[in-house]
Amino acid sequence: MPLLCFVLQDKDQEQFTKQLLYYLGGFAVGIPFFVLRDYARETLSLRWRSWMTSYYMKRYFKNRTFYKIQSQSIIDNPDQRINDDLSAFTGTALAFSLTLFNAVVDLISFSNILYGIYPPLFIVLIIYSLGGTAISVFLGKNLVNLNFMQEKKEADFRYGLVRVRENSESIAFYGGEENEFQLLLDRFRRAFENLSELLLASRNLEFFTSGYRYLIQILPAAVVAPMYFSGKIEFGVINQSVSAFNHILSDFSLIVFQFQSISAFSAVIDRLGEFDDLLDGNDSSLLSQHDNIDGINIIFKSSDPSVLSSNGSLTQLDPCVVLEIRNLTLLTPRSGNILITDLTMELKEKDHLLVMGPSGSGKTSLLRALAGLWTSGTGDIIYHVGGSMKLQTSNSGPNESSDIKLKGEELLQSSKQRRDNGIFFVPQRPYMVLGTLRQQMLYPTWTEDVHHSPNNDSQSTDPLPFLSEVSTSDGVGSKLEMPTTDELVRVLELVKLGYILPRFNGLDSMHDWASVLSLGEQQRLAFARLLLAKPTLVLLDESTSALDDMNEGHLYSQIEAAGITYISIGHRKTLHKFHNKVLHISNSGSSDSSSRNWDLKPTDQMSIEESSTFAS
């Protein structure tokens, strides 16, 4: 632009037109370059974030780490670390990398110029930038921790709002609006107070950085001016010195100018580093629960009439046995309190076991151990896999056992192993997935098939293959063919839910199913999943608690007619007629592991007094 002004001043139309064309040509080349540069940077940041998100989510779901984090309250807000912190990390890291690269190029370009003009000015620059960096670090030393805490407190406040949304009906029934309002205000107040401290620390740092930045404008002139006054240099050298000084000092002063951004970035790195250690299993809170116990073994054993044992001998197995429990002592994960002592039992095909006992005696904890969620204790849980199921073993020779034994941390990998080998779990409050009614019914047995159907694959244009890798465990068994639409409708009729099809416009409508279905309807939908999956053994944790006696009896008759062996936890006396064995667990009042606190007997041997006691 200055050249155009000079040309206009000289009234040189030809030169003006020439310079104008040069500027337009520069714009034509420069604008696409800078736009594509920014686009490439953002695309690279997005792809990096996509890869890291996939990488962290795989480890988050692998070995049921997500369950351990939630059940033991190990770290706060893993959802924010995956979503917000990963996004901030990739975007900021890439921006800082490019800024550093530009600073290095700029430094190389101008250092030689400045040193050639006046070497002492270069030395002043080094001292000034190092001193400014040291003072900035001292003044802003609390910013990293304040940023870390701000991330946590903001996430806690957001989590409180999400809980209100997810539990709106319960809060409304309790009339707890005022209480929730005060709790959320308290969480926001904590975030506000921390942010106030953060702003105060930033203000103090800004006083220094502003003075540091403005002093740059006069410092080089002040250093070089004596040489000008003595006639050793021309006036133009002062302008060159100031320009080169400002370029180089801004490169040396990246920490000073970017300290607040660097402190926020450091807080993100700390949160991701803490999360990363946890996902890698290096966190002491994950390891402490196994320090003083041997661990529970889960064994999947082929129920062929004969299998080779590990020593080469032929072992005869009872083909009717579905589940064996040997010397199981179950402890709470953290405190180590004894819940069940030395439990030994077996369950055969079409046996139906009812587990009863007072609250807190360990009934649900026993199901957690059977599912591999709790590993604290000792003993063996042996599942006998039917002939239609196939064990997958690694590096197994023809003369090796076909058993798969899982111990300690490996128990947390047994979810797919257990499901693929015909063991199914139905909780008291069924989990409603985000998706259609069809996906609700197919969960979790055919989840991969739904997400990788030909229709979905043909419509996918995802250029990032790692975003399609959803499996977090190896396939371990054969799987039933996915049910047809007619079969899904028939099963809904079996559990007396056929009326919801016209209500929600068929199987492929999307709703918040946990909100639009009552708990009783959700429990019947869980039984529909069960009937579709056709497992060998099902674990029912008060799975009919929201149903009337007629619907409860109907559902139990359906799974019994399907030839499914089941274990139920419940308190109702009406459950006795659907089971032929009762396991009563009493509260363990001491830490003595030698006294047995359970009793197993056939249902028909229970007296009226026992029945009343068990149901209490």
Side-chain angles (χ1 to χ4, degrees):
M1 291 302 292
L3 285 176
L4 285 176
C5 293
F6 287 131
V7 172
L8 283 172
Q9 186 177 359
D10 295 339
K11 296 184 179 181
D12 188 342
Q13 184 175 359
E14 183 180 352
Q15 189 66 23
F16 175 79
T17 304
K18 185 177 180 181
Q19 291 297 327
L20 190 61
L21 291 175
Y22 284 157
Y23 274 107
L24 291 175
F27 292 155
V29 174
I31 290 174
F33 173 80
F34 289 113
V35 170
L36 291 175
R37 181 199 63 180
D38 293 341
Y39 173 76
R41 183 185 64 214
E42 296 300 326
T43 301
L44 179 59
S45 175
L46 177 61
R47 285 174 171 264
W48 189 12
R49 179 192 174 188
S50 300
W51 177 84
M52 289 197 71
T53 300
S54 175
Y55 176 63
Y56 271 80
M57 286 181 62
K58 283 180 187 177
R59 294 188 296 158
Y60 182 57
F61 286 101
K62 189 175 182 181
N63 298 344
R64 292 188 186 147
T65 303
F66 70 95
Y67 172 78
K68 292 187 287 182
I69 290 174
Q70 182 65 25
S71 62
Q72 300 176 35
S73 300
I74 300 172
I75 61 170
D76 63 276
N77 304 297
D79 52 311
Q80 187 206 35
R81 298 176 194 240
I82 292 175
N83 184 55
D84 296 347
D85 290 346
L86 281 179
S87 177
F89 173 79
T90 53
T92 309
L94 190 58
F96 279 169
S97 299
L98 294 176
T99 301
L100 184 60
F101 174 77
N102 291 333
V104 170
V105 173
D106 204 46
L107 187 64
I108 294 173
S109 302
F110 285 93
S111 293
N112 202 26
I113 296 174
L114 183 63
Y115 192 82
I117 294 173
Y118 190 41
L121 184 59
F122 190 81
I123 296 173
V124 170
L125 181 149
I126 298 294
I127 295 173
Y128 186 74
S129 61
L130 291 178
T133 300
I135 295 173
S136 295
V137 171
F138 175 76
L139 293 176
K141 59 185 177 182
N142 293 327
L143 284 176
V144 174
N145 184 59
L146 288 172
N147 277 290
F148 183 95
M149 294 305 299
Q150 190 63 29
E151 293 275 350
K152 179 182 184 304
K153 293 179 187 299
E154 294 278 5
D156 289 343
F157 176 59
R158 184 166 57 248
Y159 179 67
L161 291 170
V162 171
R163 279 184 55 83
V164 171
R165 184 186 68 193
E166 292 179 345
N167 299 278
S168 57
E169 185 177 58
S170 298
I171 295 170
F173 271 125
Y174 277 111
E177 298 89 348
E178 183 64 27
N179 183 65
E180 292 299 320
F181 176 70
Q182 293 300 328
L183 288 173
L184 287 172
L185 272 186
D186 182 61
R187 289 196 170 196
F188 179 76
R189 188 179 297 111
R190 295 175 193 171
F192 173 82
E193 291 171 352
N194 188 83
L195 184 57
S196 298
E197 292 184 39
L198 180 60
L199 292 176
L200 188 63
S202 300
R203 182 204 65 185
N204 295 337
L205 180 62
E206 189 66 25
F207 276 127
F208 170 74
T209 54
S210 295
Y212 180 91
R213 183 180 292 108
Y214 289 122
L215 190 58
I216 293 175
Q217 307 302 321
I218 62 172
L219 183 61
V223 174
V224 179
M227 295 182 64
Y228 172 73
F229 292 134
S230 63
K232 295 180 179 179
I233 59 174
E234 298 293 332
F235 181 77
V237 176
I238 296 180
N239 290 331
Q240 292 178 350
S241 301
V242 171
S243 177
F245 186 92
N246 288 337
H247 272 282
I248 298 173
L249 189 59
S250 62
D251 299 333
F252 271 119
S253 303
L254 280 180
I255 294 178
V256 178
F257 295 152
Q258 302 284 342
F259 194 84
Q260 294 189 41
S261 299
I262 292 173
S263 62
F265 184 53
S266 298
V268 169
I269 292 176
D270 287 344
R271 288 176 62 80
L272 286 178
E274 184 182 38
F275 192 36
D276 197 68
D277 288 341
L278 184 64
L279 297 181
D280 285 339
N282 299 325
D283 193 274
S284 58
S285 58
L286 284 180
L287 303 175
S288 60
Q289 62 174 308
H290 299 292
D291 289 345
N292 301 316
I293 57 174
D294 296 329
I296 298 172
N297 302 321
I298 287 187
I299 303 170
F300 293 91
K301 181 173 290 188
S302 171
S303 61
D304 291 338
S306 63
V307 295
L308 281 175
S309 65
S310 56
N311 60 8
S313 61
L314 200 62
T315 303
Q316 298 294 327
L317 299 176
D318 185 351
C320 294
V321 175
V322 174
L323 170 68
E324 285 184 83
I325 300 176
R326 296 177 183 172
N327 308 115
L328 176 66
T329 296
L330 184 61
L331 312 176
T332 55
R334 286 194 168 185
S335 59
N337 295 330
I338 296 176
L339 296 174
I340 299 175
T341 303
D342 199 28
L343 174 62
T344 298
M345 59 163 286
E346 69 176 23
L347 207 63
K348 296 186 177 181
E349 290 181 4
K350 299 186 181 180
D351 269 348
H352 307 310
L353 174 67
L354 176 61
V355 181
M356 307 190 79
S359 298
S361 59
K363 304 183 298 298
T364 301
S365 301
L366 174 60
L367 290 195
R368 291 187 182 121
L370 293 174
L373 297 181
W374 277 21
T375 63
S376 302
T378 58
D380 296 330
I381 297 173
I382 305 171
Y383 291 106
H384 292 263
V385 180
S388 62
M389 304 296 174
K390 296 181 181 179
L391 290 172
Q392 176 177 312
T393 58
S394 57
N395 302 323
S396 296
N399 297 324
E400 294 183 16
S401 172
S402 59
D403 301 348
I404 295 179
K405 182 176 182 180
L406 304 173
K407 181 176 180 179
E409 289 297 319
E410 292 179 348
L411 288 179
L412 298 177
Q413 302 175 18
S414 66
S415 175
K416 200 170 190 302
Q417 174 80 60
R418 175 169 45 82
R419 191 172 71 242
D420 287 351
N421 286 318
I423 300 118
F424 204 87
F425 178 73
V426 181
Q428 182 178 11
R429 179 174 286 276
Y431 174 61
M432 297 287 105
V433 300
L434 301 175
T436 63
L437 181 59
R438 184 189 304 274
Q439 289 172 313
Q440 298 296 330
M441 298 182 68
L442 298 178
Y443 180 85
T445 310
W446 295 278
T447 302
E448 295 89 346
D449 297 316
V450 172
H451 288 292
H452 291 86
S453 65
N455 291 335
N456 289 343
D457 290 342
S458 62
Q459 296 173 1
S460 176
T461 58
D462 185 9
L464 305 177
F466 46 78
L467 291 181
S468 301
E469 298 173 6
V470 297
S471 178
T472 57
S473 59
D474 296 330
V476 290
S478 59
K479 186 162 57 176
L480 297 171
E481 183 179 350
M482 189 164 66
T484 63
T485 298
D486 290 341
E487 290 172 323
L488 295 178
V489 173
R490 183 180 63 83
V491 170
L492 281 177
E493 296 288 350
L494 281 179
V495 298
K496 298 184 177 180
L497 277 180
Y499 64 88
I500 70 173
L501 287 173
R503 175 174 152 195
F504 295 114
N505 299 319
L507 291 169
D508 297 313
S509 58
M510 297 276 290
H511 293 279
D512 182 2
W513 299 104
S515 299
V516 300
L517 296 179
S518 69
L519 181 57
E521 289 172 328
Q522 292 177 43
Q523 289 185 341
R524 280 182 278 168
L525 189 60
F527 273 83
R529 293 173 179 169
L530 164 61
L531 293 171
L532 288 168
K534 302 175 183 177
T536 304
L537 172 67
V538 62
L539 312 175
L540 304 165
D541 184 9
E542 299 193 57
S543 303
T544 57
S545 60
L547 298 175
D548 58 85
D549 293 348
M550 183 176 297
N551 272 306
E552 178 182 71
H554 174 73
L555 292 178
Y556 269 103
S557 66
Q558 292 297 324
I559 59 175
E560 185 172 10
I564 298 171
T565 303
Y566 52 83
I567 300 175
S568 301
I569 288 178
H571 296 280
R572 295 180 179 177
K573 296 178 184 179
T574 54
L575 291 174
H576 292 171
K577 59 186 175 184
F578 307 120
H579 301 79
N580 59 355
K581 290 183 179 181
V582 175
L583 173 65
H584 179 258
I585 303 172
S586 59
N587 284 319
S588 180
S590 67
S591 59
D592 181 13
S593 60
S594 61
S595 56
R596 201 176 80 171
N597 66 327
W598 55 272
D599 184 36
L600 177 66
K601 61 177 60 178
T603 306
D604 56 13
Q605 292 184 14
M606 291 177 58
S607 63
I608 297 177
E609 292 78 7
E610 287 177 318
S611 176
S612 300
T613 302
F614 290 179
S616 64

